[in-house]
Amino acid sequence: MIPVKAAVFVGPQEELEIRELQISSTPGSQEVLVKLAASGVCHSDLHALDGEWDTPAPLVLGHEGAGVVQAVGSEVSDLEPGDHVILSWTPSCGRCEFCVAGRPVLCQLANETAYQHVYFDGKPRLRDGEEDVKSFLAVGSFGEYAMVPASAAVKIRKDAPLAQASLVGCAVTTGIGAVVNTAQVEAGSTVLVVGCGGVGLNVVQGARLAGARQIIVADVSEEKLELGRTFGATHTINSREVDLVETVRQLTGGRGVDYAFEAIGLPFTIEACYEAIRRGGTAVVVGQVADGVKISIDPFVMSDQEKRLIGSNYGSSRQSIDFPKIIDLYMEGKIDLDSMVTDRIGLEGVNDAFARMRKGQGIRTVIEY
Ligand SMILES: NC(=O)c1ccc[n+]([C@@H]2O[C@H](COP(=O)([O-])OP(=O)(O)OC[C@H]3O[C@@H](n4cnc5c(N)ncnc54)[C@H](O)[C@@H]3O)[C@@H](O)[C@H]2O)c1
Ligand SMILES: [Zn+2]
Ligand SMILES: [Zn+2]
């Protein structure tokens, strides 16, 4: 066993506790031990921390990580110690109907295990003395080491900085993928993005990459709207000051946008996205709501106007293809990850990172180990 300093979730609304845990130094036959270099702090961690999602304790939070492979299991042939990897929070089994169909984010086994914060064998990997400690989404990137299924460690080029690379493990892939993979936005489209956080700004970058003609962003923070512009927005709406749907109509000649993306996780902004699309348009739910929240839409309008309301999980990504591709886009200067890292902290600063996120400050805080 080796010691792992980690930030442990002990219950809703409680501060994360920095503890020294233990992990085996020998991975299972199809697993990989990764020494984390960096982890982003995502709003999904905050949903868990705030008790909006039913999350078991004790558990190491964090799911947006990158690091260096320390050891590989006996059956792992495509990774070796020293490889740089981005961690995926949907380890795919490669065999279920969804994996075979090329939709690993829907993997049956991951849904039954990683989404319950345990590994494919149903067990956790971390210990606190005699007590088991779970890992958020079978990643737990708020710890110095993580054991992951081999499919959840995706090799990337070694010249990419790992702080920026960590963000590809969630926000960047989620945002760009929602545009490119899920909605498949065509060049010349009009796009609305509601919420300019780590995820929403990557939806903006994705829309720019896809060649969208008009990219309208909405947020309640002027600072975030300004950031939206630097990432490619053509128009901004402060939805605290003006009516969101009405303003989108004005900006699109009364028609509505071709595509709208919700990147907050609130019922009324999801409804607003649906209202803001044109006839035949597509609204994409990316933001994730608290357990039990429902939305209300008019199903007559849905059929009459052929409006589409779809969901996007992890940007419908195929991580082993998309992670290295997104890293190449960054290294070639086609997307910006540098300005997404607005704070760099040690693990001890993690509770302050959540305090900043609650106030809507900064884009991404990255923990560096
Ligand atoms: N679908 C997925 O696979 C997936 C993956 C990662 C994150 N998420 C979800 O995406 C959402 C966004 O995550 P994030 O990390 O970007 O969060 P974030 O906290 O960085 O950003 C949220 C943004 O929403 C803005 N906002 C808050 N209330 C608003 C309102 N009423 N109107 C307009 N803007 C408002 C904030 O100012 C902020 O800019 C979360 O719900 C998260 O759980 C989904
Ligand atoms: Zn599967
Ligand atoms: Zn996330």
Side-chain angles (χ1 to χ4, degrees):
M1 298 295 259
I2 48 174
V4 183
K5 193 165 78 166
V8 181
F9 168 76
V10 293
Q13 313 273 353
E14 303 276 338
E15 295 231 310
L16 297 183
E17 288 181 9
I18 308 297
R19 294 191 194 166
E20 189 172 294
L21 310 175
Q22 301 84 41
I23 199 167
S24 166
S25 55
T26 319
S29 61
Q30 297 184 36
E31 288 181 346
V32 181
L33 180 66
V34 175
K35 187 172 198 298
L36 270 293
S39 171
V41 179
C42 173
H43 205 115
S44 298
D45 300 305
L46 184 57
H47 285 309
L49 182 60
D50 281 348
E52 291 184 359
W53 296 347
D54 187 19
T55 309
L59 164 145
V60 174
L61 266 182
H63 61 283
E64 194 174 68
V68 180
V69 173
Q70 295 296 294
V72 303
S74 56
E75 291 171 26
V76 178
S77 53
D78 57 340
L79 290 168
E80 57 184 25
D83 281 346
H84 288 198
V85 291
I86 297 173
L87 303 184
S88 160
W89 47 262
T90 304
S92 48
C93 75
R95 287 191 294 270
C96 72
E97 63 170 297
F98 301 101
C99 285
V100 172
R103 304 185 72 182
V105 300
L106 303 182
C107 174
Q108 185 69 29
L109 191 55
N111 267 266
E112 289 165 4
T113 56
Y115 286 11
Q116 315 305 320
H117 319 295
V118 292
Y119 290 78
F120 284 163
D121 59 5
K123 296 185 182 139
R125 292 290 180 272
L126 291 163
R127 307 276 294 170
D128 186 2
E130 291 304 298
E131 191 179 25
D132 282 335
V133 179
K134 291 183 172 169
S135 303
F136 193 52
L137 299 169
V139 174
S141 59
F142 294 171
E144 293 172 312
Y145 289 90
M147 193 71 81
V148 295
S151 62
V154 178
K155 187 171 161 176
I156 54 161
R157 52 198 275 183
K158 282 191 177 162
D159 56 346
L162 288 167
Q164 285 86 331
S166 71
L167 305 187
V168 176
C170 187
V172 182
T173 300
T174 297
I176 293 178
V179 177
V180 173
N181 299 327
T182 314
Q184 301 182 1
V185 168
E186 306 89 353
S189 300
T190 56
V191 172
L192 168 69
V193 184
V194 182
C196 294
V199 173
L201 291 171
N202 281 295
V203 175
V204 173
Q205 300 212 81
R208 186 173 48 72
L209 276 179
R213 167 168 60 89
Q214 198 178 25
I215 306 173
I216 305 166
V217 291
D219 203 293
V220 288
S221 148
E222 282 299 330
E223 180 199 336
K224 291 297 177 68
L225 291 170
E226 216 30 66
L227 287 166
R229 275 203 190 273
T230 63
F231 281 92
T234 56
H235 301 76
T236 60
I237 300 174
N238 187 327
S239 53
R240 188 167 270 155
E241 288 169 4
V242 295
D243 185 84
L244 173 56
V245 176
E246 194 51 45
T247 313
V248 170
R249 294 218 176 279
Q250 283 164 13
L251 291 171
T252 53
R255 181 169 167 274
V257 284
D258 300 326
Y259 294 93
F261 294 85
E262 204 277 356
I264 309 167
L266 294 172
F268 62 91
T269 42
I270 295 171
E271 290 161 3
C273 280
Y274 182 76
E275 296 283 317
I277 53 175
R278 63 162 166 81
R279 284 196 304 284
T282 303
V284 187
V285 180
V286 183
Q288 293 182 315
V289 301
D291 284 346
V293 166
K294 299 279 190 287
I295 58 166
S296 174
I297 57 166
D298 182 339
F300 181 81
V301 172
M302 188 173 211
S303 62
D304 192 56
Q305 302 193 1
E306 294 202 347
K307 285 188 169 196
R308 296 200 309 151
L309 177 63
I310 62 175
S312 181
N313 185 22
Y314 218 158
S316 309
S317 55
R318 291 166 298 166
Q319 297 89 337
S320 58
I321 299 173
D322 289 326
F323 287 0
K325 187 157 70 180
I326 290 172
I327 288 293
D328 280 343
L329 286 169
Y330 161 65
M331 297 299 282
E332 291 160 10
K334 296 194 175 79
I335 57 169
D336 177 9
L337 302 187
D338 295 335
S339 350
M340 297 235 152
V341 183
T342 44
D343 292 280
R344 291 172 188 257
I345 59 167
L347 190 60
E348 286 76 7
V350 66
N351 288 302
D352 300 332
F354 284 117
R356 279 196 296 279
M357 181 177 277
R358 284 195 185 94
K359 288 189 210 142
Q361 293 168 350
I363 307 175
R364 269 298 193 259
T365 299
V366 173
I367 298 165
E368 292 185 293
Y369 294 95

